[in-house]
């Protein structure tokens, strides 16, 4: 009887967690259904993303790429993102059913591009193999950004404003667990199967997780246009500038994000490369270190959600932006697995706060009838800054090495934090 009781308690806990806690259980049945399937989508999407993001650069390195080509891959991905985000906004506002747009682009084209990346060694050799792998990786990222404006619009429609901090805290909680487990397993597979085979198996597993994510996302039921929702006049470039001028908080948020993400990608593409080539860590060790990050984020995730709802996302984001630049400074002195593990504990906690806060703040600063267009503008700014940052980082690392990109990245991040503190104000919530 005790076992049955425990199972029932676990079932109730899971049912509550999938809708964002007790808050979610007060919502209508249709809202709870969408929250639950979106939660499962996050679970599988996290598994997919953690394999891909943690190991794709190492996979391309094993195939014969250089550090410069890794930097170029990151730059190309972000340049293509910048080119596809505005067409993505056009699709989101041209077609009433934004859910189907994001499902096709992210759930279809993105997954197919990853599948091509799995099998690329069978069809290409030598330098052609490296460039083909880079191409499919860039396409995978590009298609994800094509569907991103529609995805944000759907997210804005299905997650009620008053509980977003708690819901995304719960969703990020399970995403952290999934990312932690799958990163360990993928690292073990890559270490067990030497050469490119282990990476191909890992990327194949990422594809399967991506299909599960697509299935879950497809189960979301939403009818457009929504009742009592402002009707968009469509995506019109001529009117977009006027719309942006009337939302100065959004403009300043985008500007500080541009500087922030430029700084991020000055060093971002080179951490895993540094661990593999300079510190001689194995794929398993790199995977464990990424799990440390996910685990530390997991511990604070739910509390961060409630805290964000209480103090507001702006304050939480500002605090995290002040602390985060300390992380690249710490890497200057890190030489062992344990050094980086300690850094990654802080990394997981503070980036969990930043990611939760920035997304909620972004949603608050956008007008409800212009979510796809404003999302596209924001992400174009971010993508271009990431692309330029990766190019700048490639130049800095060639001249001053890994320490050079770390110092540059930290300094520019603090500049962005100072601008955010001065110019980004908390949005005034309508009654």
């Amino acid at each position: 009887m005790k076992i049955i009781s425990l199972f029932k308690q676990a079932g109730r806990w899971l049912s509550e967690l999938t809708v964002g806690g007790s808050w979610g259980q007060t919502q209508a049945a249709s809202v709870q259904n969408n929250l639950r399937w979106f939660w499962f989508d996050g679970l599988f999407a996290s598994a997919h993303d953690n394999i891909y993001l943690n190991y794709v650069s190492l996979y391309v390195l094993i195939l014969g790429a250089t550090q410069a080509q890794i930097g170029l891959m990151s730059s190309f991905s972000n340049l293509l993102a910048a080119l596809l985000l505005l067409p993505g906004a056009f699709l989101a506002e041209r077609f009433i059913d934004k859910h189907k747009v994001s499902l096709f682009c992210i759930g279809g084209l993105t997954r197919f591009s990853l599948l091509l990346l799995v099998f690329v060694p069978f069809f290409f050799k030598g330098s052609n193999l490296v460039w083909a792998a880079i191409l499919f990786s860039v396409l995978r990222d590009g298609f994800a950004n094509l569907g991103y404006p529609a995805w944000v619009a759907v997210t804005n429609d299905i997650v009620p404003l008053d509980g977003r901090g708690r819901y995304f805290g719960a969703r990020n909680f399970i995403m952290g667990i999934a990312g932690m487990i799958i990163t360990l397993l993928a690292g073990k597979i890559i270490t067990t199967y030497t050469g490119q085979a282990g990476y191909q198996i890992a990327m194949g597993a990422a594809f399967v997780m991506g299909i599960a994510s697509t299935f879950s996302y497809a189960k979301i039921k939403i009818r457009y246009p929504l009742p009592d929702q402002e009707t968009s006049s469509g995506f019109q470039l001529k009117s977009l500038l006027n719309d942006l001028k009337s939302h100065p908080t959004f403009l300043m948020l985008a500007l500080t994000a541009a500087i922030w993400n430029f700084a991020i990608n000055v060093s971002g593409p080179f951490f895993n490369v540094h661990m593999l080539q300079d510190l001689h860590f194995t794929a398993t060790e790199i995977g464990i270190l990424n799990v440390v990050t996910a685990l530390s984020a997991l511990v604070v995730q739910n509390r961060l959600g409630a805290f964000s709802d209480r103090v507001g996302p702006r304050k939480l984001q500002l605090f995290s932006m002040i602390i985060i630049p300390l992380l690249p400074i710490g890497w200057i002195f890190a030489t062992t697995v344990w050094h980086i593990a300690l850094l990654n504990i802080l990394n997981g906690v503070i980036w969990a706060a930043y990611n939760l806060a920035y997304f909620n703040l972004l949603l608050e600063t956008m007008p409800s009838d212009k979510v796809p267009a404003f999302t596209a503008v924001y992400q174009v700014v971010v993508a271009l800054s990431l692309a330029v940052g990766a190019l700048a980082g490639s130049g800095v690392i060639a001249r001053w090495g890994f320490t050079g990109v770390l110092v540059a990245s930290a300094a520019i991040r603090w500049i962005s934090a100072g601008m955010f503190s001065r110019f980004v104000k908390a949005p005034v919530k309508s009654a």
Side-chain angles (χ1 to χ4, degrees):
M1 294 298 293
K2 288 184 178 180
I3 295 177
I4 296 175
S5 177
L6 287 173
F7 274 113
K8 287 182 178 179
Q9 289 179 8
R12 286 193 295 269
W13 175 81
L14 181 61
S15 178
E16 182 176 310
L17 183 67
T18 56
V19 295
S22 57
W23 161 84
Q25 293 184 317
T26 65
Q27 304 299 308
S30 59
V31 174
Q32 288 191 47
N33 177 75
N34 287 341
L35 293 176
R36 187 166 285 114
W37 281 113
F38 194 44
W39 187 89
F40 280 107
D41 162 67
L43 185 158
F44 294 115
S46 177
H48 164 91
D49 290 343
N50 272 274
I51 297 174
Y52 175 79
L53 295 174
N54 287 326
Y55 297 112
V56 67
S57 61
L58 303 184
Y59 179 35
V60 178
L61 276 174
I62 288 293
L63 296 179
T66 64
Q67 282 193 358
Q69 286 174 313
I70 296 299
L72 285 173
M73 182 173 71
S74 176
S75 184
F76 290 157
S77 291
N78 288 292
L79 285 172
L80 184 60
L83 292 174
L84 292 181
L85 280 162
L86 286 176
F90 172 81
L91 287 174
E93 296 201 358
R94 174 65 178 81
F95 294 97
I96 294 175
D97 197 334
K98 301 171 183 63
H99 179 235
K100 289 183 179 178
V101 173
S102 58
L103 186 63
F104 174 73
C105 295
I106 300 175
L109 296 177
T110 298
R111 310 307 183 212
F112 181 67
S113 299
L114 181 60
L115 185 63
L116 294 176
L117 187 61
V118 174
F119 292 103
V120 68
F122 296 133
F123 301 104
F124 298 92
K125 302 296 179 184
S127 62
N128 290 335
L129 170 59
V130 172
W131 289 113
I134 289 174
L135 173 64
F136 294 139
S137 176
V138 168
L139 286 176
R140 182 261 178 205
D141 295 342
F143 288 135
N145 282 282
L146 182 65
Y148 186 74
W151 182 89
V152 174
V154 172
T155 302
N156 187 60
D157 292 337
I158 66 175
V159 185
L161 178 62
D162 62 330
R164 280 178 182 164
R166 280 161 287 183
Y167 176 75
F168 282 110
R171 188 174 184 265
N172 291 348
F173 174 79
I174 194 60
M175 290 175 71
I177 292 179
M180 178 179 61
I181 295 173
I182 203 69
T183 300
L184 276 178
L185 292 175
K188 184 63 177 178
I189 289 171
I190 291 169
T191 304
T192 301
Y193 295 89
T194 57
Q196 67 191 35
Y199 288 97
Q200 287 177 276
I201 295 171
M203 292 297 160
F207 172 75
V208 173
M209 294 296 104
I211 293 300
S213 170
T214 298
F215 173 81
S216 300
Y217 192 75
K219 299 292 286 185
I220 293 173
K221 304 298 182 185
I222 183 168
R223 293 183 179 181
Y224 286 101
L226 296 175
D228 302 323
Q229 185 180 54
E230 296 177 72
T231 302
S232 170
S233 59
F235 185 79
Q236 298 175 0
L237 288 174
K238 291 182 179 180
S239 64
L240 183 57
L241 285 177
N242 290 330
D243 292 331
L244 291 171
K245 288 178 182 178
S246 63
H247 293 83
T249 299
F250 173 83
L251 285 176
M252 294 312 303
L253 185 64
L255 176 61
T256 56
I259 299 171
W260 179 262
N261 284 281
F262 170 83
I264 294 298
N265 239 27
V266 166
S267 59
F270 308 108
F271 284 100
N272 281 351
V273 176
H274 172 68
M275 286 189 287
L276 185 71
Q277 293 189 339
D278 300 332
L279 301 182
H280 307 294
F281 293 173
T282 66
T284 297
E285 289 172 329
I286 294 172
I288 290 172
L289 289 168
N290 286 319
V291 165
V292 169
T293 304
L295 183 60
S296 59
L298 187 65
V299 172
V300 300
Q301 201 65 252
N302 282 333
R303 292 182 180 179
L304 281 173
F307 184 70
S308 177
D309 285 340
R310 186 167 65 252
V311 303
R314 181 192 175 275
K315 290 182 180 178
L316 185 60
Q317 181 171 338
L318 176 59
F319 173 77
S320 61
M321 290 178 75
I322 294 171
I323 301 299
I324 284 174
L326 294 172
L327 299 173
I329 296 299
W331 274 77
I332 295 174
F333 308 100
T335 57
T336 69
V337 171
W338 290 109
H339 292 163
I340 296 174
L342 292 173
L343 285 171
N344 280 5
I345 291 172
L346 178 59
N347 181 74
V349 172
I350 202 65
W351 271 105
Y354 176 87
N355 289 329
L356 178 67
Y358 112 81
F359 188 69
N360 288 342
L361 182 60
L362 178 62
L363 289 177
E364 287 186 9
T365 61
M366 296 188 294
S368 64
D369 63 327
K370 297 290 182 182
V371 170
F374 273 57
T375 297
V377 170
Y378 182 86
Q379 291 302 130
V380 165
V381 170
V382 168
L384 287 174
S385 63
L386 287 170
V388 176
L391 287 176
S394 296
V396 172
I397 201 170
R399 185 164 184 176
W400 290 291
F402 190 57
T403 298
V405 296
L406 294 174
V407 172
S409 180
I412 301 170
R413 291 187 214 195
W414 270 316
I415 292 173
S416 176
M419 292 181 64
F420 180 92
S421 175
R422 176 67 177 83
F423 297 111
V424 178
K425 306 301 180 183
V428 178
K429 295 183 179 180
S430 58

